[in-house]
């Protein structure tokens, strides 16, 4: 029932195999609330006891999760709930959750007021001549005090949105010349409000309660969260890289469920009858049961489109191009999400000294995925990252690559067991990571002294490389097995997350899904004894990049756990002269970067990025805003121009944007093969 992972997973709106959300009873809500409060209190690594201060933070998190930009609730609106603020945590421990629905009902009412205000304002003439500005990020600002101040805020917010739509429409040549021009700014704003209103008013009660329970989990740790059943399914999809359905990604737009993407090879794509931008208006099951999808939020619509593998589903579709209606019947299938799987390509680098091109095998690994259910059932062919990487490395060996480079720049983590297994492919035994729970500490490592690949190895990371990616990188770097290059640090997430399936507990009382709770249950440490918490893993060689300029990392999260350390594990260096080699590699790299025309272009991009990065406000004076927009557009166009100028041929011979950071990492890997 527990699965240890090192990742927070983004919600994916794919159509997958699932059942419509069941009806929950009041006793279910009480039980789930009390259960989550109890698990966090007893099992969370931080050991934070319930208190009035913690209750207050739960309350604040809940309000901010509902109204993150502080637009809908005023200080006056929240006054009536303040007596509940120091008691909320204690009440949740007792299964008392009513405050969630009371506040959410107020939020829904406030959003309706905002829509009415918008309709009145947008139906008249709006003055854009005043010297006003709008603050882009309001999350840290105090809430407005009362209704009068709120109406002024709403007015500014609407003017800000209006100018965005107006300026983008005026400057979009394709839209201007189109036979079907985009809606007017006011119409686009009201369409967006309609979609948001549908999502707000039709949200399931379990999902509303989930917002409060998630707010409670987040007060214990930055990566603790509660996933109601639908979000739990998305988590499993991300980790297993598979789903069962028709293979389409959906969104909600102007009351319609619209197709955003068709997955290659999926039933939806193979049919030839569904296209991106088509709108789904009705779904009919194999038994003839039919459901109207208009004005239904995506989260609810997918529960009717989902179904078991091999079952039929019929969709009534409005063409996004012609507006004509058609009916499409599909058979649901299991679909693999290959775009998130490991990929291997071979890059060649000129080497006058060797008189031939040096081959560098590049492995791009977006995450440490693993199908937990299949692995737990003993399936030797269960999908996992380490198995896919093993196949890629074996292919590289047949192609006689001189060096291997791991690209982990966008790797957000994943399965801890698989990170350990993968490190073991490149090590002759030895420790990989230390894990400390509240009760004890353990060292986990490569128990098999056989090595798949013993040649030169480089790991490329960024500030987005997190969790399992940090374990893998640090283990290879600290043991002298690999040279690490990239941003000045990795993400800095050193917490082990436990995924607790709550349904078995709830099934003692009611056979419905209770969702999952993810929480920090342990800390991992490098074999040197250092944590990567907050500080991340520092590379051997720093490579300038755009991500280096970004405020990304654990240190920017609320309630993150502090850095600490433990005793070093016993390990031996794979290559005792590796730091001597790093000195040579670093010197060569610095010379190349200094003389690189491609890196010169990247430095230009970085300078352009810095110009717009720290903008706090925008003008609501149309003439001034137009100047701001024009200047910013020029910066963006210049960046895109630089990117297009960097276009080159990738290893497959296809045209692709040149990546100077990856190119330099490949050069370093080639240099390492010669040392």
């Amino acid at each position: 029932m527990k699965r240890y992972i090192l990742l927070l997973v983004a919600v994916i709106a794919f159509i997958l195999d699932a059942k419509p959300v069941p009806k929950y009873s009041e006793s279910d809500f009480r039980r789930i609330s009390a259960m989550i409060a109890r698990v966090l209190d007893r099992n969370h690594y931080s050991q934070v006891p319930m208190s009035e201060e913690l209750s207050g933070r739960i309350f604040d998190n809940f309000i901010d999760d509902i109204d993150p930009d502080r637009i809908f609730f005023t200080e006056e609106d929240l006054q009536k709930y303040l007596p509940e603020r120091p008691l909320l945590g204690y009440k949740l421990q007792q299964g008392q959750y009513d405050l969630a629905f009371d506040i959410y009902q107020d939020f829904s009412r406030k959003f309706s007021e905002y829509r009415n205000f918008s309709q009145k304002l947008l139906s008249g003439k709006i003055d854009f001549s005043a010297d006003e500005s709008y603050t882009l990020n309001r999350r840290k600002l105090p809430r407005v005090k009362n209704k009068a101040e709120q109406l002024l805020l709403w007015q500014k917010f609407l003017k800000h949105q209006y100018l965005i739509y107006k300026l983008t429409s005026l400057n979009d040549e394709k839209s201007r010349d189109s036979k079907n021009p985009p809606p007017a700014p006011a119409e686009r704003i009201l369409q967006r409000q309609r979609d948001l209103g549908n999502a707000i008013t039709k949200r399931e009660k379990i999902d509303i309660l989930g917002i409060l329970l998630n707010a409670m989990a987040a007060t214990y740790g930055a990566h603790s969260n509660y996933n109601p059943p639908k979000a739990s399914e998305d988590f499993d999809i991300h980790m297993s890289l598979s789903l069962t359905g028709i293979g389409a990604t959906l969104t909600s737009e102007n009351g319609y469920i619209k197709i955003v993407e068709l997955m290659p090879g999926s039933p939806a794509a193979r049919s030839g009858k569904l296209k991106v931008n088509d709108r789904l208006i009705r779904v009919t099951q194999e038994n003839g049961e039919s459901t109207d999808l208009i004005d239904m939020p995506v989260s609810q619509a997918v529960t009717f489109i989902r179904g078991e593998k091999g079952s039929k589903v019929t969709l009534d579709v409005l063409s996004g191009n012609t507006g004509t209606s058609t009916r499409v019947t599909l058979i649901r299938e299991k679909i693999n999400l290959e775009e998130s799987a490991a990929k291997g390509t071979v890059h060649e680098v000129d080497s006058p000294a060797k008189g031939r091109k040096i081959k560098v095998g590049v492995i791009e690994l977006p995450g440490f995925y693993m199908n937990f259910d299949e692995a737990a059932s003993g399936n030797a062919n269960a999908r996992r990252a380490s198995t896919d990487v093993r196949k890629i490395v074996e292919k590289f060996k047949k192609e006689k690559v001189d060096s291997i480079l791991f690209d982990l720049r966008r790797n957000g983590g994943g399965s801890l067991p698989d990170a350990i297994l993968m490190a073991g492919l490149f090590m002759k035994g030895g420790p990989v990571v230390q894990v400390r729970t509240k009760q004890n500490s353990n060292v986990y490592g490569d128990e098999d002294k056989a090595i798949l690949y013993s040649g030169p190895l480089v790991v490329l990371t960024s500030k987005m490389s997190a969790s399992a990616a940090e374990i893998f990188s640090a283990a290879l770097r600290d043991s002298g097995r690999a040279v690490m290059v990239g941003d000045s640090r990795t993400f800095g997430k050193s917490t082990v997350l436990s995924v607790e399936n709550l349904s078995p507990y709830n099934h003692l009382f009611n056979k419905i899904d209770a969702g999952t709770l993810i929480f920090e249950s342990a800390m991992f440490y490098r074999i040197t004894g250092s944590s990567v918490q907050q500080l991340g893993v520092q590379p051997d060689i720093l490579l300038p990049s755009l991500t280096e300029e970004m405020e990304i990392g654990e240190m920017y999260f609320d309630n993150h756990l502090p850095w600490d350390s433990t005793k070093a594990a016993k390990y031996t260096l794979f290559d005792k002269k590796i730091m001597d080699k790093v000195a040579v590699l670093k010197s060569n790299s610095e010379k190349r970067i200094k003389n690189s025309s491609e890196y010169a272009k990247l430095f230009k991009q970085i300078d352009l990025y810095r110009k717009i990065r720290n903008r706090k406000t925008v003008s609501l004076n149309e003439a001034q805003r137009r100047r701001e927009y024009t200047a910013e557009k020029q910066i963006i166009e210049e960046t895109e121009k630089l990117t297009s100028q960097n276009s080159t041929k990738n290893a497959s011979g296809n045209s692709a944007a040149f990546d100077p950071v990856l190119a330099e990492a490949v050069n370093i890997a080639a240099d390492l093969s010669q040392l």
Side-chain angles (χ1 to χ4, degrees):
M1 297 202 304
K2 287 186 178 180
R3 296 180 291 189
Y4 289 99
I5 57 130
L6 302 166
L7 176 70
L8 281 180
V9 181
V11 174
I12 308 168
F14 289 116
I15 308 171
L16 63 157
D17 180 18
K19 298 178 181 178
V21 177
K23 297 298 181 183
Y24 289 82
S25 67
E26 299 299 312
S27 60
D28 287 324
F29 290 146
R30 285 195 297 272
R31 193 159 47 248
I32 292 170
S33 301
M35 189 190 316
I36 290 174
R38 188 162 55 248
V39 171
L40 288 170
D41 182 63
R42 295 178 180 176
N43 299 328
H44 197 279
Y45 185 79
S46 65
Q47 289 288 278
V48 178
M50 184 54 66
S51 64
E52 290 188 357
E53 189 272 337
L54 187 65
S55 291
R57 286 198 281 129
I58 296 172
F59 178 90
D60 294 343
N61 282 350
F62 179 58
I63 299 297
D64 285 339
D65 285 347
I66 292 177
D67 182 21
D69 290 316
R70 306 193 168 193
I71 288 174
F72 300 108
F73 283 127
T74 67
E75 289 183 7
E76 192 173 75
D77 292 329
L78 298 177
Q79 281 296 320
K80 62 181 177 181
Y81 296 117
L82 291 184
E84 296 290 322
R85 188 175 179 275
L87 306 174
L88 181 56
Y90 295 109
K91 288 192 172 183
L92 286 172
Q93 288 180 331
Q94 299 166 12
Q96 298 178 33
Y97 57 85
D98 292 340
L99 188 66
F101 299 132
D102 293 341
I103 293 177
Y104 192 84
Q105 188 174 25
D106 269 358
F107 169 65
S108 181
R109 177 182 56 79
K110 293 288 291 188
F111 188 81
S112 295
E113 288 180 12
Y114 169 66
R115 289 184 68 184
N116 292 334
F117 176 85
S118 301
Q119 289 169 354
K120 290 179 182 178
L121 180 73
L122 296 172
S123 64
K125 187 175 181 180
I126 306 175
D127 179 20
F128 289 105
S129 63
D131 185 16
E132 297 177 313
S133 63
Y134 179 76
T135 303
L136 292 172
N137 187 351
R138 295 186 44 79
R139 294 172 185 248
K140 299 297 183 183
L141 295 180
R143 294 185 180 275
V144 294
K145 294 180 180 178
N146 50 43
K147 185 71 173 181
E149 290 186 7
Q150 185 174 58
L151 293 178
L152 291 174
L153 173 61
W154 284 356
Q155 186 181 58
K156 286 187 174 185
F157 183 51
L158 286 166
K159 290 171 77 171
H160 165 58
Q161 289 183 305
Y162 191 101
L163 285 173
I164 289 175
Y165 288 131
K166 184 175 183 178
L167 292 172
T168 53
S169 296
L170 288 174
N171 286 279
D172 189 344
E173 294 295 331
K174 292 181 180 179
S175 297
R176 196 187 307 178
D177 296 339
S178 174
K179 295 179 181 179
N180 299 304
E187 186 180 352
R188 293 176 73 178
I189 292 171
L190 295 177
Q191 285 177 354
R192 178 61 179 155
Q193 289 183 4
R194 172 180 172 172
D195 294 334
L196 289 173
N198 288 335
I200 290 169
T201 57
K202 296 183 180 181
R203 181 171 273 156
E204 298 284 349
K205 291 188 75 174
I206 183 62
D207 296 319
I208 297 171
L209 177 62
I211 298 173
L212 175 59
L213 298 178
N214 190 58
M216 175 170 60
T219 60
Y220 284 83
H223 301 283
S224 294
N225 64 100
Y226 168 66
N227 288 332
K230 287 196 293 292
S232 297
E233 292 164 345
D234 292 332
F235 174 87
D236 288 335
I237 290 171
H238 186 96
M239 292 304 293
S240 65
L241 292 193
S242 68
L243 56 86
T244 303
I246 67 171
T249 306
L250 306 177
T251 189
S252 176
E253 183 178 282
N254 198 25
Y256 289 102
I257 302 300
K258 188 177 81 170
I259 296 176
V260 176
E261 180 184 5
L262 297 175
M263 301 178 65
S266 68
R270 291 201 313 271
S271 73
K273 298 177 180 179
L274 293 176
K275 302 288 188 295
V276 171
N277 294 327
D278 283 354
R279 291 157 292 173
L280 312 183
I281 58 176
R282 180 173 289 274
V283 58
T284 303
Q285 307 301 331
E286 207 165 6
N287 62 5
E289 182 181 341
S290 187
T291 305
D292 188 354
L293 300 179
I294 294 177
D295 282 339
M296 183 179 289
V298 171
S299 60
Q300 291 185 28
V302 293
T303 64
F304 294 100
I305 302 173
R306 296 168 182 171
E308 296 179 359
K309 179 181 177 181
S311 63
K312 292 182 180 179
V313 60
T314 300
L315 304 169
D316 287 1
V317 184
L318 283 179
S319 169
N321 295 323
T322 65
T324 56
S325 177
T326 186
R327 176 166 282 195
V328 181
T329 298
L330 302 171
I331 297 177
R332 301 171 175 112
E333 296 178 3
K334 183 175 180 180
I335 301 162
N336 292 321
L337 308 180
E338 291 303 323
E339 70 277 7
S340 297
K343 297 177 180 65
T345 55
V346 175
H347 296 237
E348 294 185 337
V349 179
D350 289 328
S351 176
K354 283 200 171 186
R356 65 173 178 84
K357 292 183 181 292
I358 296 175
K359 291 183 178 181
V360 177
V362 177
I363 299 175
E364 182 184 353
L365 186 66
F368 289 84
Y369 48 88
M370 176 180 176
N371 191 320
F372 286 103
D373 292 332
E374 289 189 6
S377 67
N379 183 356
N381 297 316
R383 188 71 185 271
R384 59 198 310 163
S386 59
T387 302
D388 289 350
V389 167
R390 175 183 284 274
K391 293 175 182 176
I392 292 171
V393 173
E394 288 173 343
K395 183 173 180 290
F396 282 168
K397 289 169 70 176
K398 290 179 182 178
E399 297 182 40
K400 297 182 178 180
V401 299
D402 297 284
S403 187
I404 289 180
L405 166 69
F406 267 93
D407 185 354
L408 305 182
R409 286 177 295 171
R410 296 168 186 83
N411 189 310
S415 163
L416 169 58
D418 216 58
I420 296 170
L421 277 173
M422 196 178 299
L425 299 178
F426 306 95
M427 300 172 66
K428 295 179 180 178
V432 172
V433 64
Q434 302 185 77
V435 177
R436 186 170 72 189
T437 66
K438 294 180 298 180
Q439 292 82 22
N440 53 55
S441 293
N442 291 290
V443 178
Y444 298 95
D446 177 25
E447 298 178 0
D448 180 5
K449 292 190 176 182
I451 187 168
L452 176 65
Y453 172 78
S454 60
L457 192 62
V458 175
V459 180
L460 173 61
T461 59
S462 76
K463 289 183 177 180
M464 293 188 288
S465 307
S467 297
E470 294 176 285
I471 287 176
F472 178 81
S473 304
L476 297 181
R477 181 185 186 275
D478 293 340
S479 63
R481 177 62 189 92
V483 174
M484 183 173 160
V485 303
D487 290 351
S488 60
R489 61 168 173 81
T490 54
F491 190 89
K493 180 184 175 295
S494 196
T495 50
V496 180
L497 303 184
S498 180
V499 182
E500 188 79 45
N501 182 4
L502 303 174
S503 296
Y505 303 120
N506 198 55
H507 285 178
L508 296 172
F509 306 93
N510 193 349
K511 299 290 184 180
I512 62 170
D513 290 336
T516 56
L517 178 65
I518 300 175
F519 59 93
E520 289 95 335
S521 59
M523 290 279 284
F524 72 79
Y525 299 83
R526 297 161 69 167
I527 57 178
T528 61
S530 173
S531 166
V532 305
Q533 187 68 5
Q534 296 184 70
L535 305 180
V537 185
Q538 291 72 43
D540 295 302
I541 301 172
L542 177 65
L543 298 181
S545 70
L546 276 172
T547 50
E548 175 64 25
E549 303 297 317
M550 299 177 183
E551 291 186 349
I552 300 172
E554 186 84 358
M555 63 179 64
Y556 297 106
F557 283 11
D558 293 334
N559 303 320
H560 66 260
L561 300 182
W563 180 93
D564 67 348
S565 61
T566 188
K567 291 192 303 183
K570 293 181 179 180
Y571 66 96
T572 56
L573 288 177
F574 181 89
D575 181 355
K576 295 181 179 179
K577 296 182 178 180
I578 193 164
M579 294 315 296
D580 294 334
K581 295 176 182 178
V582 165
V584 176
L585 296 172
K586 185 176 180 180
S587 176
N588 290 347
S589 178
E590 289 174 348
K591 291 175 185 176
R592 272 192 302 267
I593 289 174
K594 184 178 180 180
N595 297 317
S596 168
S597 60
E598 304 299 346
Y599 245 106
K601 294 172 184 176
L602 176 60
F603 287 134
K604 266 191 170 183
Q605 286 180 275
I606 291 171
D607 289 338
L608 293 171
Y609 172 77
R610 287 170 178 164
K611 289 180 181 179
I612 61 175
R613 176 183 57 189
N614 298 321
R615 186 182 62 171
K616 298 290 190 293
T617 63
V618 290
S619 176
L620 298 179
N621 177 288
E622 184 170 357
Q624 175 61 26
R625 182 66 169 275
R626 189 183 298 274
R627 288 191 289 270
E628 291 176 359
Y629 177 79
T630 301
E632 184 173 312
K633 188 170 184 291
Q634 287 175 344
I635 291 173
I636 294 171
E637 287 176 347
E638 181 66 20
T639 301
E640 291 175 348
K641 183 180 178 182
L642 287 169
T643 302
S644 64
Q645 287 174 348
N646 286 350
S647 180
T648 187
K649 297 285 184 179
N650 61 20
S652 303
N654 300 318
S655 179
F658 187 78
D659 183 344
V661 180
L662 177 61
E664 179 53 29
V666 169
N667 284 329
I668 292 172
D671 283 355
L672 181 60
S673 72
Q674 298 182 79
L675 295 178

